[in-house]
Amino acid sequence: MSASMSEKKPSGESADPGLGADLGWAIRLVSAAFRRVATDSVAELPGGARGYLVLVALSSGEPPSQLALAREVSLDRTVMTYLLDDLEAHELVTRRPDPRDRRARQVLITDTGRARLDQVRHSLTAAEARLLADLDEQDAAQLRTLLSRVAQTAQRESIAPDEADC
């Protein structure tokens, strides 16, 4: 067999898979589509998507300090302070001195905040379902799991998005 014959691809297989196989293109397209469908779901919350992320982060576990919360949701601590001011003004969160370090402040979600988070999650679930319409339940769950793992790697490696992109 000649070298040129062994290098040929099977019919229908392209030498360059194009955009369909490009991770950057796929992430950008999905991210933009998600932003469009999710924007309405979180529009009523102070801070929109950022406010939603804060409420989600606060909805389980030990109340974090403001600084720990800012790190967890990848926000600048100054931006976090203004966002928490807005959320607190709407009685969605409250802050208290940290019993382990009186210089730090813990952030807690209120009952009103939990109720609003539940409303937003319901609306967001419907928006996500539209975006994931071509996936069955198992594929959608696997996509969420894999994206979560990649996001954790990005956060750990400090390659999370710039605060300006939030």
Side-chain angles (χ1 to χ4, degrees):
M1 186 185 313
S2 72
S4 63
M5 287 184 73
S6 65
E7 292 174 10
K8 284 188 176 179
K9 303 276 186 197
S11 65
E13 189 176 323
S14 171
D16 184 0
L19 286 177
D22 188 88
L23 179 64
W25 173 82
I27 289 173
R28 182 174 178 209
L29 195 64
V30 170
S31 177
F34 181 78
R35 246 184 267 121
R36 282 191 305 275
V37 301
T39 297
D40 289 342
S41 299
V42 298
E44 299 284 324
L45 284 176
R50 289 175 174 174
Y52 171 75
L53 291 176
V54 166
L55 293 178
V56 169
L58 295 175
S59 66
S60 63
E62 182 73 20
S65 69
Q66 284 185 209
L67 184 57
L69 180 60
R71 286 185 187 132
E72 185 177 356
V73 297
S74 299
L75 285 177
D76 177 80
R77 65 181 185 206
T78 304
V79 172
M80 178 59 73
T81 300
Y82 289 117
L83 178 57
L84 291 176
D85 289 345
D86 287 346
L87 292 168
E88 196 167 34
H90 286 84
E91 300 179 352
L92 303 177
V93 302
T94 187
R95 291 177 273 195
R96 69 177 183 202
D98 187 331
R100 295 173 301 247
D101 180 356
R102 308 269 307 155
R103 296 169 295 167
R105 298 187 49 127
Q106 287 182 320
V107 184
L108 298 97
I109 189 169
T110 65
D111 290 340
T112 302
R114 285 187 194 285
R116 288 287 299 281
L117 178 59
D118 286 344
Q119 293 169 347
V120 170
R121 277 185 167 154
H122 180 72
S123 178
L124 194 54
T125 296
E128 289 175 2
R130 289 196 327 264
L131 185 61
L132 301 177
D134 289 340
L135 302 179
D136 63 26
E137 280 187 44
Q138 184 178 358
D139 286 344
Q142 185 176 16
L143 177 64
R144 289 175 193 280
T145 299
L146 294 173
L147 284 174
S148 178
R149 287 172 47 196
V150 172
Q152 290 170 4
T153 300
Q155 189 174 39
R156 185 177 59 250
E157 299 295 325
S158 298
I159 54 177
D162 293 336
E163 287 125 23
D165 292 342
C166 294

